[in-house]
DNA sequence: AAAACGTGGTA
DNA sequence: TTACCAAGTTT
């Protein structure tokens, strides 16, 4: 069993030396900037978030700025980040922040958690990284790092377990600012060194305390991890249809959507789904637009 | 509790 | 080229 100092001191020191400079990090970043980044980073790599985040903050520097616009503008500005419902939810969260929190991003976990699009991870992340609160921040990076270093396995279980949460809670430093740095350092290590494939163990600051390394890097042997299919799926169809709307300034005729996806039954079903989700609105007898 | 939900980079 | 993966949330 590794002692606390075997992990904490080397990792905190490593973060101090190797942390990337990102626009949503550091004392100059607003809570809103942090919140926008967390929405965009849900399942989307940093490199693709960077330019969209910058444009977003330039256009909507506060929640009130976004809340004042039609939600369709948020969907359009979301661009090709993927999972466009996140844009809907971010807009809804901005509206709620104006209505219920005086236009300021709330600082408590519970208030954050109550906003649309904010689950356990994002609430903890915003409370921690924007406000310095002390919460367990358990994202895919942290889970992987702890699975390896503490549990000695290559990858964590498909879903978060109680044991995992307990390990993370025990390791979280008591001091608030240190807890925040610890969490972001764990995430950074997972993103840069302790990666899902081909981890750079030789560059790892906690390799001497790593249970997975000590065990000889045994391969993952848990339940099979499901692979997302893509070609021909509703997800791809929805993406195509929404791209047509997004790339055109005004309402578009149904024929434009028909041209984007040949299989009719699926196209009709997906368009109905987009409308039901609030990502698309009928704008006339045969035209559609962003909301 | 499992499935749905986008997109593009990398090996 | 196919497979895997990327700071999850919702139903």
């Amino acid at each position: 069993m590794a002692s606390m100092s075997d992990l904490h001191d080397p990792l905190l020191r490593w973060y101090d030396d190797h942390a990337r400079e990102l626009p949503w990090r550091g004392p100059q970043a607003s809570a809103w900037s942090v919140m926008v980044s967390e929405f965009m980073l849900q399942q989307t790599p940093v490199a693709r978030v960077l330019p969209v985040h910058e444009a977003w903050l330039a256009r909507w520097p506060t929640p009130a700025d976004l809340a004042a616009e039609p939600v369709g503008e948020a969907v359009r500005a979301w661009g090709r980040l993927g999972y466009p419902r996140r844009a809907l939810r971010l807009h809804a969260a901005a509206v709620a922040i104006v209505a219920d929190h005086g236009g300021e991003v709330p600082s408590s976990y519970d208030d954050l958690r109550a906003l649309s699009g904010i689950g356990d991870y994002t609430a903890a992340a915003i409370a921690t990284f924007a406000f310095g609160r002390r919460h367990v921040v358990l994202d895919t990076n942290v889970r992987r790092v702890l699975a390896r270093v503490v549990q000695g396995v290559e990858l964590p279980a498909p879903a978060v377990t109680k044991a995992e949460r307990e390990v993370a809670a025990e390791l979280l430093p008591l001091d608030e600012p240190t807890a925040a740095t610890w969490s972001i350092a764990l995430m950074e290590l997972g993103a840069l060194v302790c990666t899902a494939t081909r981890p750079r163990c030789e560059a790892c600051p906690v390799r001497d305390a790593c249970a997975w390394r000590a065990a000889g890097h045994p391969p993952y042997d848990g339940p099979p991890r499901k692979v997302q299919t893509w070609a021909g799926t509703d997800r791809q169809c929805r993406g195509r249809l929404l791209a047509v709307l997004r790339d055109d300034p005004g309402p578009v005729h149904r024929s434009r959507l028909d041209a984007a996806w040949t299989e009719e039954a699926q196209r009709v079903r997906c368009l109905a789904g987009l409308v039901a989700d609030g990502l698309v609105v009928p704008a006339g007898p045969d035209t559609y637009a962003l909301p």
Side-chain angles (χ1 to χ4, degrees):
Chain A
M1 189 57 144
S3 79
M4 293 276 279
S5 60
D6 288 336
L7 250 37
H8 291 73
D9 292 344
L11 181 59
L12 292 171
R13 195 169 11 250
W14 173 86
Y15 181 75
D16 196 45
D17 291 337
H18 296 86
R20 291 167 292 180
E21 284 187 23
L22 299 172
W24 47 84
R25 278 188 190 163
Q28 80 295 334
S30 67
W32 173 239
S33 175
V34 173
M35 176 170 161
V36 171
S37 80
E38 291 300 343
F39 271 74
M40 292 182 172
L41 288 165
Q42 292 168 359
Q43 300 285 279
T44 303
V46 167
R48 287 178 38 217
V49 165
L50 247 14
V52 184
H53 179 273
E54 182 178 11
W56 194 282
L57 267 291
R59 180 171 177 185
W60 300 305
T62 71
D65 295 317
L66 177 61
E69 296 247 20
V71 65
E73 287 306 299
V75 173
R76 197 185 303 278
W78 197 256
R80 307 187 68 78
L81 284 183
Y83 292 147
R85 284 190 289 200
R86 290 181 292 168
L88 251 31
R89 293 174 181 148
L90 180 53
H91 183 274
V95 169
I97 286 171
V98 170
D100 303 334
H101 300 285
E104 300 292 330
V105 176
S107 60
S108 79
Y109 174 92
D110 288 341
D111 285 346
L112 288 163
R113 186 66 182 76
L115 296 172
S116 77
I118 297 189
D120 179 61
Y121 161 75
T122 303
I126 297 172
T128 298
F129 304 139
F131 298 105
R133 299 295 181 84
R134 182 177 179 277
H135 291 281
V136 170
V137 178
L138 211 50
D139 79 324
T140 188
N141 288 305
V142 175
R143 294 189 64 214
R144 186 176 56 251
V145 171
L146 295 183
R148 288 174 181 171
V149 175
V150 178
Q151 201 186 341
V153 299
E154 183 184 19
L155 297 170
V160 178
T161 64
K162 186 182 176 192
E164 248 184 298
R165 191 162 286 285
E166 287 170 354
V167 166
E170 276 183 38
L171 256 24
L172 191 67
L174 296 176
D175 172 67
E176 272 192 335
T178 310
T181 306
W182 165 254
S183 291
I184 196 65
L186 231 29
M187 290 173 66
E188 194 77 337
L189 186 71
L192 300 181
V193 174
C194 195
T195 49
T197 60
R198 303 191 48 141
R200 304 167 49 222
C201 296
E202 70 288 348
C204 180
V206 296
R207 61 184 176 280
D208 292 337
C210 181
W212 187 48
R213 179 171 181 264
H217 299 103
Y220 176 76
D221 73 341
R225 323 168 78 222
K226 53 174 174 278
V227 179
Q228 278 188 12
T229 54
W230 176 244
T233 60
D234 282 7
R235 209 177 293 198
Q236 182 186 29
C237 179
R238 288 167 55 106
R240 288 270 183 82
L241 296 177
L242 196 59
V244 172
L245 281 294
R246 203 171 48 219
D247 297 342
D248 198 289
V252 308
H253 189 79
R254 180 194 296 278
S255 59
R256 299 273 311 283
L257 299 175
D258 293 351
W261 195 264
T262 53
E263 217 231 308
E264 180 174 6
Q266 186 177 27
R267 184 181 66 241
V268 169
R269 167 162 44 86
C270 287
L271 182 56
L274 288 167
V275 171
D277 289 344
L279 282 163
V280 173
V281 293
D286 268 311
T287 61
Y288 293 87
L290 294 182

